[in-house]
Amino acid sequence: MTALEQYISSYFGVPEEDVAAISSYFKPQQLRKQEYYLKAGQVCDTLSFQHSGLTRFFVQLPEKEVTQWIGTPAYFMTDLNGLMFGKPSRWSIQALEDCELFTIHKKDYLALGEQMPAWHELEKKFIARCFTYMEDRVFNLLAMSAEQRYQWLFGQHPALFNQVPLQFLASMLGMTPETLSRIRKKQLM
Amino acid sequence: MTALEQYISSYFGVPEEDVAAISSYFKPQQLRKQEYYLKAGQVCDTLSFQHSGLTRFFVQLPEKEVTQWIGTPAYFMTDLNGLMFGKPSRWSIQALEDCELFTIHKKDYLALGEQMPAWHELEKKFIARCFTYMEDRVFNLLAMSAEQRYQWLFGQHPALFNQVPLQFLASMLGMTPETLSRIRKKQLM
DNA sequence: GTAACTTCTTGATTTTTGTCAAGAAAAGGA
DNA sequence: TCCTTTTCTTGACAAAAATCAAGAAGTTAC
């Protein structure tokens, strides 16, 4: 089994022949550090599995830049607004370091849905998980203080704080870099 | 066409015979004011179309209560964590006023997926839209001030502010009732 | 290795938002 | 209708987080 096949198998829990069929649609792609996977305003027409490297989803506002998400290995990357609804993206996706991806283009993505009966259901469940994760994020932003949000993210992905510039994590947590710095200082004392 | 059929048709854009097939699975259900559709800790095993009335999704914390969402007519209501993954709900769903629902139970919901080939794809797209909406909500909470968030919600659903106790809307917007009250006063001047 | 650049930390200060408390307004029930 | 209960508003104050500014630490490129 290739790395991609293992990922697909663990995600979707489908028979091995389906795993092979699905993964055959995905093609290797390199992304160099700083390179863009997608630029704001473009219509995203790919879906990628992130095998290695880190990516950043961000929105450029007139006054500031907002990091919506950090893409990490073993997760999928796309802009659903583009892939599913043909709408332009509000954010850019940029590589924070060199990345190895497995990418499927929209044409093949649609073919996959037609040729593999179970695909829509698998994808539905996958997107549903993403939705419930977003529900959690909204809840955290509604109910928790900056410090509690930090602890939540640190509890889930401690390694991120050594890999990603802290200013991006601060933004993703809904606080300024200064606030994150002070929270982290307090944790040490 | 019944009201339910019209809703399904407008949501999913499917042929009329499919609309009839889908809607035949949904049964009318009444919910009295204050009654619970779901209580925190229960596993949600229904999916309902909200024909009339308003509902509130909220989490009861030791110190405070957090309103995550207000359910309005012409939208679906469920807890995906329960319906799709069999997990207990973190929030309760309660009727703010008498509600008329069309409800499908999990058993029939699963049957629908098996008997109607297009169902999973329709549902996938529907959940994907919910996901992109949650992306917007997260972005708003990350990037906007309390006042901007108010204006955003008011721009989308001005009528809500006459129908729902403002304390619930304040919570859903991530602010206190006092802050919302002051923002609304400022809008008038 | 060093210069240039980026990122992080720290302090002082301001702004935003939350908390507490009391009264006003509105809604609901007998 | 009037009484009770809930919801909303307002003011005074406190706390949380943002802003501004400067310097330290860390990275990167030559």
Side-chain angles (χ1 to χ4, degrees):
Chain A
M1 263 207 212
T2 67
L4 176 61
E5 287 174 339
Q6 281 189 342
Y7 292 128
I8 289 174
S9 174
S10 72
Y11 264 139
F12 294 136
V14 288
E16 202 165 330
E17 61 266 28
D18 287 348
V19 170
I22 294 171
S23 64
S24 70
Y25 283 91
F26 288 82
K27 306 298 175 207
Q29 178 189 0
Q30 309 289 321
L31 213 57
R32 292 287 172 76
K33 182 170 180 168
Q34 306 276 37
E35 202 178 330
Y36 284 87
Y37 179 77
L38 178 71
K39 286 196 179 183
Q42 288 181 344
V43 177
C44 184
D45 62 355
T46 52
L47 167 68
S48 296
F49 182 81
Q50 197 163 343
H51 178 54
S52 70
L54 294 164
T55 53
R56 183 168 76 102
F57 296 52
F58 68 96
V59 179
Q60 186 66 59
L61 298 178
E63 342 78 71
K64 60 180 171 182
E65 199 185 84
V66 178
T67 295
Q68 177 94 359
W69 184 246
I70 301 291
T72 52
Y75 284 88
F76 284 99
M77 161 163 67
T78 188
D79 174 51
L80 273 191
N81 245 321
L83 187 72
M84 298 200 52
F85 307 117
K87 292 200 180 142
S89 175
R90 88 189 287 175
W91 32 72
S92 299
I93 305 178
Q94 190 181 20
L96 289 171
E97 42 188 65
D98 291 354
C99 294
E100 298 171 281
L101 313 177
F102 295 102
T103 298
I104 185 173
H105 282 268
K106 187 162 186 172
K107 191 167 68 69
D108 290 331
Y109 164 77
L110 294 173
L112 187 50
E114 285 173 17
Q115 286 167 29
M116 201 181 143
W119 175 253
H120 290 304
E121 187 181 358
L122 298 175
E123 207 190 349
K124 176 185 88 176
K125 286 192 175 157
F126 184 73
I127 295 170
R129 279 208 192 281
C130 296
F131 175 80
T132 62
Y133 183 81
M134 291 304 263
E135 285 185 319
D136 287 350
R137 263 191 99 184
V138 167
F139 175 77
N140 289 351
L141 288 164
L142 293 182
M144 291 183 182
S145 67
E147 186 168 344
Q148 290 172 312
R149 297 198 299 274
Y150 164 74
Q151 285 170 337
W152 181 78
L153 183 61
F154 188 81
Q156 291 205 328
H157 300 286
L160 263 194
F161 290 81
N162 296 318
Q163 297 170 326
V164 176
L166 296 175
Q167 52 177 323
F168 299 150
L169 298 178
S171 178
M172 191 175 120
L173 286 167
M175 65 186 78
T176 60
E178 292 94 332
T179 297
L180 178 59
S181 179
R182 291 184 179 107
I183 287 171
R184 283 166 62 80
K185 187 181 183 188
K186 216 164 81 180
Q187 304 293 317
L188 299 173
M189 304 195 294
Chain B
M1 264 208 210
T2 67
L4 175 60
E5 287 174 339
Q6 281 189 343
Y7 292 128
I8 289 174
S9 174
S10 72
Y11 265 138
F12 296 136
V14 288
E16 201 163 331
E17 60 267 28
D18 286 348
V19 171
I22 294 171
S23 64
S24 70
Y25 283 91
F26 288 81
K27 306 299 174 204
Q29 178 189 1
Q30 308 289 323
L31 212 58
R32 291 288 174 74
K33 182 171 180 170
Q34 305 276 37
E35 202 178 331
Y36 284 87
Y37 178 77
L38 178 70
K39 285 196 180 183
Q42 289 180 344
V43 177
C44 183
D45 63 354
T46 52
L47 167 68
S48 296
F49 182 83
Q50 196 163 343
H51 178 55
S52 70
L54 295 163
T55 53
R56 184 168 74 102
F57 296 51
F58 67 96
V59 180
Q60 187 65 60
L61 298 179
E63 343 77 70
K64 60 178 170 181
E65 198 186 85
V66 179
T67 296
Q68 177 95 1
W69 184 246
I70 301 291
T72 52
Y75 285 88
F76 284 99
M77 161 163 68
T78 188
D79 173 51
L80 273 191
N81 244 322
L83 187 70
M84 297 200 54
F85 308 117
K87 293 199 180 143
S89 175
R90 88 189 289 177
W91 32 71
S92 299
I93 304 179
Q94 189 180 21
L96 288 171
E97 42 188 65
D98 291 355
C99 293
E100 298 171 280
L101 312 177
F102 296 102
T103 297
I104 185 171
H105 283 268
K106 188 163 185 171
K107 190 168 67 69
D108 291 331
Y109 164 78
L110 294 174
L112 188 50
E114 284 173 17
Q115 286 169 27
M116 200 180 143
W119 175 253
H120 290 305
E121 187 181 358
L122 298 175
E123 208 190 348
K124 176 185 89 175
K125 287 194 175 156
F126 184 72
I127 295 170
R129 279 208 190 283
C130 297
F131 175 80
T132 63
Y133 183 81
M134 290 305 263
E135 285 184 318
D136 287 349
R137 262 191 100 184
V138 167
F139 175 78
N140 289 350
L141 288 163
L142 294 182
M144 292 183 182
S145 67
E147 186 169 344
Q148 290 172 313
R149 296 197 301 275
Y150 164 74
Q151 286 170 336
W152 180 78
L153 183 61
F154 188 80
Q156 291 204 327
H157 300 288
L160 263 194
F161 290 81
N162 297 318
Q163 298 170 324
V164 176
L166 296 175
Q167 52 178 322
F168 299 150
L169 298 178
S171 178
M172 192 176 118
L173 286 166
M175 65 186 79
T176 60
E178 292 94 334
T179 296
L180 178 58
S181 180
R182 291 185 178 108
I183 287 171
R184 282 167 62 81
K185 186 182 182 186
K186 216 164 83 181
Q187 304 292 316
L188 300 172
M189 302 193 297

